[in-house]
């Protein structure tokens, strides 16, 4: 098969168990791009966290971020495509999360910046504390997420114990029109992500869109991943 676009998940797929890209994988990406193949890294990460992987790359590639809600250029974060969550859907999602004692956070591309908006950090939720501690440079605190949501954001996220996330997921699915899913465990603890995107957003849809932009036949796509969101 003459592949024209290779879509590769980052965590658990491209990266080693140490969270780094091996010299062999890096050389293979570079070789594919030199042959005219589009290589897209597809991840649940934000642009801020994806930069930690691509730092030092001497080539440009498209990044599919937030599990398919965004496509950006790797070098500068310039938006290629963006599937945002409807404002009222995001507000309903925040309210429902709070009803079940979750602390929602909002990923947003607002006023030209990739940011993470939150109200508070529960010190008893160790995974949530650790997650937020790695993103200090993009954190934006607000007293009221509902009031903040006067526009369409990128994504809602919550982090809690597996049993709670599994209980809340079907409730959210039944009450809001959105893509509600989990990408599984966080930091190898019994904590899971709960993620909410626009109903039509996914890694698959983003890769299909990227192929159309580059006039590539969908049959010429190969996708590699390892988790629920893949």
């Amino acid at each position: 098969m003459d592949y024209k676009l290779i879509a590769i998940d980052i965590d658990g797929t491209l990266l080693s168990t140490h969270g780094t890209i091996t010299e062999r994988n890096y050389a293979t990406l570079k070789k594919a791009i030199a042959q005219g193949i589009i290589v897209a890294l597809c991840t649940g990460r934000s642009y801020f966290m994806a930069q930690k992987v691509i730092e030092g790359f001497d080539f440009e590639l498209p990044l599919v971020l937030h599990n398919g809600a965004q496509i950006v250029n790797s070098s500068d974060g310039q938006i290629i495509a963006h599937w945002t969550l409807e404002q009222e859907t995001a507000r309903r999602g925040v309210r429902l999360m709070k009803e079940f004692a979750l602390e929602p956070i909002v990923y947003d591309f607002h006023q030209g910046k990739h940011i993470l908006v939150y109200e508070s950090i529960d010190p008893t939720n160790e995974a949530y504390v650790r997650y937020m501690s790695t993103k200090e440079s993009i954190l934006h605190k607000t007293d009221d997420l509902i009031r903040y949501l006067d526009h369409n954001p990128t994504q809602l996220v919550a982090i809690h114990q597996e049993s709670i996330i599994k209980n809340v997921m079907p409730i959210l699915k039944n009450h809001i029109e959105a893509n509600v899913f989990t990408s599984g465990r966080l930091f190898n603890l019994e904590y899971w992500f709960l993620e909410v995107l626009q109903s039509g957003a996914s890694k698959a849809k983003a890769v299909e869109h990227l192929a159309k932009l580059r006039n590539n036949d969908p049959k010429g796509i190969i996708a590699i991943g390892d988790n629920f969101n893949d």
Side-chain angles (χ1 to χ4, degrees):
M1 186 68 191
D2 186 17
Y3 291 114
K4 298 297 184 183
L5 194 160
I6 305 175
I8 309 174
D9 171 50
I10 292 180
D11 297 287
T13 304
L14 177 66
L15 301 186
S16 69
T17 54
H18 302 292
T20 58
I21 183 169
T22 64
E23 290 183 7
R24 181 180 180 184
N25 280 353
Y26 179 79
T28 303
L29 295 183
K30 193 168 182 176
K31 181 179 179 181
I33 291 170
Q35 292 176 357
I37 298 171
I38 299 167
V39 176
L41 301 189
C42 305
T43 179
R45 294 184 183 218
S46 65
Y47 179 63
F48 173 75
M49 293 304 291
Q51 282 180 302
K52 297 180 181 298
V53 175
I54 62 173
E55 186 178 12
F57 279 24
D58 61 357
F59 49 82
E60 174 84 50
L61 44 70
L63 299 174
V64 173
L65 305 173
H66 298 287
N67 286 309
Q70 273 183 0
I71 306 175
V72 307
N73 291 324
S74 61
S75 61
D76 57 8
Q78 181 69 34
I79 300 269
I80 297 172
H82 197 186
W83 294 270
T84 56
L85 197 57
E86 290 291 332
Q87 174 188 333
E88 282 307 314
T89 301
R91 286 180 167 182
R92 285 197 298 273
V94 166
R95 291 189 186 100
L96 282 167
M97 286 179 176
K98 287 184 173 183
E99 284 182 20
F100 291 91
L102 298 178
E103 289 189 88
I105 53 182
V106 176
Y107 275 103
D108 202 6
F109 182 75
H110 194 45
Q111 298 179 347
K113 294 182 179 180
H114 296 273
I115 60 174
L116 178 54
V117 188
Y118 73 106
E119 286 183 357
S120 61
I121 300 176
D122 178 4
T124 66
N125 186 329
E126 55 184 314
Y128 184 58
V129 171
R130 182 176 171 184
Y131 182 80
M132 299 294 273
S133 70
T134 63
K135 299 166 179 62
E136 291 183 355
S137 65
I138 62 168
L139 292 183
H140 177 83
K141 192 176 187 308
T142 181
D143 294 329
D144 188 341
L145 275 176
I146 301 298
R147 190 184 309 143
Y148 171 81
L149 288 168
D150 61 359
H151 59 282
N152 295 357
T154 301
Q155 180 185 25
L156 301 184
V157 174
I159 300 166
H160 218 294
Q161 292 175 345
E162 176 182 352
S163 59
I164 294 174
I165 295 300
K166 285 184 173 180
N167 286 337
V168 175
M169 274 182 59
I171 295 169
L172 278 174
K173 287 181 179 181
N174 288 334
H175 287 84
I176 61 174
E177 187 177 345
N179 182 5
V180 180
F181 63 100
T182 179
S183 51
R185 285 184 174 83
L186 179 65
F187 307 129
N188 295 319
L189 301 174
E190 287 303 311
Y191 287 86
W192 280 39
F193 278 115
L194 174 61
E195 306 189 48
V196 180
L197 303 178
Q198 184 199 104
S199 57
S202 69
K203 286 186 178 182
K205 290 291 179 66
V207 170
E208 288 175 4
H209 181 80
L210 188 58
K212 288 178 182 177
L213 289 178
R214 306 297 175 90
N215 295 315
N216 289 331
D217 188 327
K219 293 180 181 179
I221 300 171
I222 185 169
I224 310 168
D226 73 310
N227 212 325
F228 300 126
N229 55 333
D230 297 313

